[in-house]
Amino acid sequence: MAIPEKYENVERWAFGDTEQQADELVKLVLDGVKTATCSNLDGEGIPQPGDVFVVVDGKNEPVCAIELTTVDMSTYEQVDAAHALAEGEGDRSLDYWRKEHKRFFEEYELFSPDMTLVLMHFKVIEKF
């Protein structure tokens, strides 16, 4: 699928860590249920509000463009129920969010309760 030229060189994101999860989560983004995400703080720099990313599905096909609306820093332990709800995954509870994100970060040997996370809220600006 062709995407608008203005997005050709934009960084691409897949949510989740499996093809199936990427497909499920991009559907939540398109449905307006998932309006937030998080990542571990790494050496890549911190995204800023206004930054635009292309979201891809499990087959790495572009699905939509999102724009970050807010970016905050928090430790894993300090993430609250409002952020978990905005991430829109599972039953949208903080318990589910903690369990799933602990699993995800442990898989990459990154997890620690006081790890710094970059919490990002976004809006869909274009669907492809």
Side-chain angles (χ1 to χ4, degrees), residues 61-111:
E61 291 294 327
V63 176
C64 64
I66 59 171
E67 179 181 332
L68 299 185
T69 55
T70 64
V71 178
D72 295 298
M73 308 295 274
S74 174
T75 64
Y76 168 87
E77 295 172 315
Q78 293 173 321
V79 171
D80 62 14
H83 183 80
L85 182 69
E87 284 216 25
E89 299 173 28
D91 65 5
R92 303 180 75 185
S93 70
L94 184 56
D95 283 343
Y96 180 90
W97 184 93
R98 287 194 193 284
K99 184 179 71 146
E100 187 59 20
H101 285 76
K102 183 175 188 224
R103 178 203 65 77
F104 177 85
F105 289 120
E106 280 178 342
E107 206 169 288
Y108 297 93
E109 299 180 353
L110 296 169
F111 180 76

Side-chain angles (χ1 to χ4, degrees), residues 29-40:
V29 169
L30 293 174
D31 291 346
V33 174
K34 181 173 181 61
T35 59
T37 191
C38 72
S39 66
N40 62 305

